[in-house]
Amino acid sequence: MEAFKTHQGIVAPLDRANIDTDAIIPKQFLKRIERSGYGEFLFYDWRYTSEEQENPEFLLNQEPYRNASVLLTRENFGCGSSREHAPWAIEDFGFRVIIAPSFADIFYNNCFKNGILPLQLPAEEVEGLFSKTAENPGYKLTINLEQQRIMDSQGYEREFEVDEYRREMLLKGLDEISATIQFETQIADFERTHKIYYSR
Amino acid sequence: MGKTLYEKIWDRHIVVEQEDQPDIIYIDLHLIHEVTSPQAFDGLRLANRQVRRPDRTLATMDHAIPTTDRSLPFEDKIAAKQVEALRKNCQDFGIELFDLFSTKQGIVHIIAPELGLTQPGQTIVCGDSHTATHGAFGTLAFGIGTSEVEHVLATQTLKQYKSKTMAVNFNGELPIGVTAKDLILALIGQYGHDFATGYVLEYRGEAIRNLTMEERMTVCNMSIEIGARAGLIAPDETTFKYLEGKEYAPKGEEWQEALEDWRELKSDKDAQFDRIVDFNCSVIEPQVTWGTNPGLVASVNAAVPGPEDVPEEKRRMVESALAYMDLAPGTAIKDIEINTVFIGSCTNGRIQDLREAAKVVNGYQVAEEVRALVVPGSQFVKQQAESEGLAKIFTDAGFEWREAGCSMCLGMNPDIAKPGDRVASTSNRNFEGRQGRDSKSHLVSPSMAAAAAIEGRFVDVRQWPIKIGEGV
Ligand code: SF4
């Protein structure tokens, strides 16, 4: 996984609450067995008309948002299924940061495992960023994970919080499985005494 | 201080506790299906890793498979490839697979309980958010992403932070004719579909104790629709009775030992929950969702609300839901006409659900313009329903009777609602496009769906004239 230290990019304001995983990546694309290439299907039903044409009204079909890498959105982003195809599609489109007042649980977890920083900011703060984006076309934000600071070029700057362990994972691009395998002895010891009642 | 049920199960599964890091917890049973596993197996191959405990891993096919005649080649070539990939992965890594023609095939959350694999006090994970279903047995069960599927395959453990705990007390008795589905929809309706984010719920109270295991599974199944990580119900005699004699349940002395152990699995009297919610069951009516998340729900005798009827911060959500659902504020729920009915899914695809639906359907005909499907949750349920004569009641009435799978719950297979279709569905999600692009979903209980199929619109099933003795 690619390490995440600091990132600067164009902010795409997707002004909608409760965007669910069915909207992020509809199920017809979950049948693929590959891990990459989901970006073109991101927000499929909004991005394309039923004739599979680009829908010019949709934000990500407009300049400069085609090249956005920071997604600004509303509460409960990523609710619904556990499909990791959702963060895969977001990452493959080019997003590295998602800013929202709240995230759904499983989705939040999945982001960190795919090099995406889901940044939870207070609702007022998110509101403020929506206004700034509306006032300044091509508005950019810089997110520095090492210093845990978010800033723009016009003097806006604030600290953000993120769980220390997950921050480390992102900063180092850590592979969690290798880390857990170090504890093989403990796992084997645990299994010796742990009772499981089903018999197969 | 006493412990909650959740804490007891958690503590039993801690393998490693580290400062400032999530715990490493042991996973007793890992369930796998075709959609969220192929990339995990690829990951294993790339890193040259094995599946640590194939004996604690079990696979089936449910999401993308057709529910029509399966001896024919798949119409959908991409789905065929996915199913092939699962076969190969299970073979390469030594995992037991309940394949398309197995008598044990079915929706992953239906087959594990009916085989007796789901047992109290376990940890169960699956790359599927409705894994919470198994919580009905006092089992800590939750959905994981594909990276975590790979982690469990490789290590039989997961790195997890402990969740906060919430007690949900269902007080009073559930009125006659009101089901477990109505109970959970009413709860989500009152608190909103994200109010339990970050929590593990424990459902308690008189109404829960009176539920059968099937009904408890319906309740726990929808925990994710309130945002919760998992939902639990402490095991009791109802649980033990259900489990006794099931194929993979312990037998003889082992059974006695297990019972003794399982009886410990309840929250202590002085256990502290982070939050407690009290909910009065005695006033619940049959529920029908009218919006685009499960929290947008009303009783069948009410009307669809308008943006003015909700608090400021919910207005936009309601407006966009009404626009998508093509409903005007003030429309009586009973005036909503449907043209599609889906009875099935891991929420309501068990035998009791089919019995309740069949009771309503018996002796009636599906309305002319309505397409109605019954999709049993497993081959086992299908078999049972056929031998009880339920299948005949459905087909006589004009329902399609299908093979087991997820089907129109998410429309990944050919069972898709068409644009503009309005569906009365016993599944768990009514998101935009969930059952098919531009289709509109209304979530209801099996008996409500059955009545809607016959009337072509929603009716209060408590007033339904049941014809006994006709049909079978
Ligand atoms: S029936 Fe629906 S909710 Fe249940 S596992 Fe299948 S797709 Fe998911």
Side-chain angles (χ1 to χ4, degrees), chain A residues 1-197:
Chain A
M1 192 180 74
E2 209 183 322
F4 185 118
K5 292 199 165 62
T6 184
H7 177 81
Q8 187 188 50
I10 295 174
V11 182
L14 199 54
D15 195 357
R16 241 182 121 118
N18 304 307
I19 294 180
D20 58 75
T21 50
D22 283 272
I24 296 172
I25 181 108
K27 60 257 160 184
Q28 62 267 37
F29 306 111
L30 313 186
K31 285 180 264 193
R32 300 173 73 245
I33 54 175
E34 297 80 18
R35 190 166 194 142
S36 55
Y38 291 92
E40 56 177 307
F41 312 125
L42 177 68
F43 300 125
Y44 189 84
D45 287 354
W46 297 338
R47 222 158 117 208
Y48 305 96
T49 63
S50 35
E51 289 82 48
E52 319 233 320
Q53 300 290 317
E54 266 196 10
N55 168 12
E57 311 267 293
F58 188 61
L59 187 80
L60 299 186
N61 291 331
Q62 298 163 5
E63 296 300 343
Y65 304 114
R66 285 180 192 277
N67 297 310
S69 59
V70 178
L71 184 64
L72 179 66
T73 184
R74 300 285 183 182
E75 66 269 11
N76 200 29
F77 186 81
C79 58
S81 93
S82 63
R83 62 186 72 156
E84 208 157 309
H85 310 69
W88 293 339
I90 287 171
E91 196 260 352
D92 194 54
F93 180 89
F95 287 114
R96 294 302 308 277
V97 181
I98 311 171
I99 302 173
S102 62
F103 292 89
D105 208 29
I106 306 179
F107 176 82
Y108 185 77
N109 236 325
N110 282 340
C111 281
F112 287 96
K113 301 187 195 292
N114 291 283
I116 302 168
L117 175 65
L119 199 58
Q120 195 170 346
L121 293 180
E124 325 75 82
E125 198 77 22
V126 171
E127 190 59 56
L129 290 175
F130 267 104
S131 331
K132 283 183 205 286
T133 318
E135 288 155 17
N136 308 289
Y139 181 69
K140 281 187 182 175
L141 278 169
T142 303
I143 293 92
N144 183 326
L145 185 59
E146 272 174 320
Q147 295 170 9
Q148 295 180 232
R149 301 193 79 77
I150 172 169
M151 63 208 101
D152 67 12
S153 59
Q154 301 151 18
Y156 165 80
E157 187 171 348
R158 65 159 284 148
E159 248 180 65
F160 60 81
E161 282 179 27
V162 56
D163 170 67
E164 188 48 37
Y165 167 74
R166 288 173 170 139
R167 176 170 166 267
E168 279 289 310
M169 264 184 57
L170 271 187
L171 283 174
K172 298 191 178 142
L174 262 187
D175 165 14
E176 214 173 40
I177 299 179
S178 315
T180 301
I181 285 178
Q182 311 286 315
F183 293 101
E184 172 55 36
T185 330
Q186 281 90 334
I187 300 174
D189 282 350
F190 179 90
E191 280 177 330
R192 265 190 284 280
T193 52
H194 182 64
K195 183 78 191 154
I196 284 177
Y197 292 102

Side-chain angles (χ1 to χ4, degrees), chain B residues 132-161:
Chain B
T133 313
H134 308 266
F137 292 78
T139 305
L140 177 58
F142 51 88
I144 55 178
T146 300
S147 300
E148 289 172 316
V149 169
E150 187 179 335
H151 192 284
V152 179
L153 287 173
T155 68
Q156 202 58 31
T157 69
L158 258 189
K159 281 197 106 157
Q160 285 285 303
Y161 281 113

